[in-house]
Amino acid sequence: TEAGLYKFSSTQVTLSAADAAPLLAYAASLPDDCIYEDEDDPTLGREDEPHATILYGIHTTEAAPVAAALAGVGPIHLTLGKMAVFSDPDKPYDVLLVAVHGDDLHRIHALIKTSAEHGETWPTYTPHLTVAYVKRGLAARYVGDSRFEGKTLTFSSLTFSATDGARHELPL
């Protein structure tokens, strides 16, 4: 593994400031005492850059193979769903999220998997937008909230994030 900020490279679509604003406001409205924070891991807490990860676990730091695979793919369309939660019994927190629906992210996920060496970090690809990491058991009260349901988003590029934190916008 190359030294860097992250163990693996990844790809994601990042919401524009306008599209992110309602999610950021919602995250900010969650009570402080339900938010899980860890001084050793600043990525926990409230999400400050709403995005949908397409593939995490890419072994290369080079964006070129991914860019080549995505050439001419066209825009990605997705639709937001209800609030949901990821729970891992080995973690002291739950991930409060907005479900994301649409075939485009699955199609792009598969294309990237064929273009770059990677390792599976999750058994099933489940597109979502993380809202916040909350203390174990406290996310259940928000599950099913439909405030974002039906909102559609379109992306004409995605971000390749290398292990050293360098970001490359790749047109679709």
Side-chain angles (χ1 to χ4, degrees):
T1 304
E2 296 180 22
L5 298 172
Y6 305 102
K7 187 173 180 179
F8 299 109
S9 297
S10 65
T11 53
Q12 67 187 44
V13 289
T14 304
L15 276 63
S16 68
D19 288 333
L23 277 95
L24 293 170
Y26 181 71
S29 76
L30 298 173
D32 289 342
D33 63 354
C34 85
I35 301 298
Y36 180 86
E37 294 182 302
D38 182 337
E39 63 186 36
D40 295 327
D41 188 349
T43 64
L44 300 176
R46 290 177 175 89
E47 177 61 52
D48 60 3
E49 184 182 68
H51 64 278
T53 300
I54 298 172
L55 180 63
Y56 176 79
I58 299 171
H59 294 175
T60 183
T61 59
E62 300 297 320
V66 175
L70 298 176
V73 163
I76 295 173
H77 305 282
L78 55 88
T79 303
L80 302 185
K82 293 181 180 180
M83 299 293 289
V85 63
F86 288 153
S87 289
D88 180 338
D90 297 328
K91 304 282 185 190
Y93 57 80
D94 293 328
V95 181
L96 180 62
L97 60 97
V98 176
V100 172
H101 306 289
D103 295 334
D104 288 348
L105 286 178
H106 288 279
R107 182 172 49 92
I108 300 298
H109 174 82
L111 273 173
I112 295 170
K113 284 174 68 171
T114 63
S115 70
E117 185 181 338
H118 66 283
E120 290 291 336
T121 58
W122 302 103
T124 304
Y125 177 55
T126 306
H128 65 281
L129 301 173
T130 297
V131 174
Y133 295 82
V134 298
K135 293 173 185 169
R136 169 158 305 293
L138 298 184
R141 69 181 81 163
Y142 305 105
V143 171
D145 184 308
S146 61
R147 73 182 64 222
F148 302 113
E149 189 174 25
K151 168 108 174 124
T152 58
L153 303 172
T154 301
F155 301 90
S156 57
S157 67
L158 62 78
T159 304
F160 179 91
S161 295
T163 57
D164 64 1
R167 292 182 173 206
H168 308 276
E169 281 302 307
L170 307 180
L172 297 171

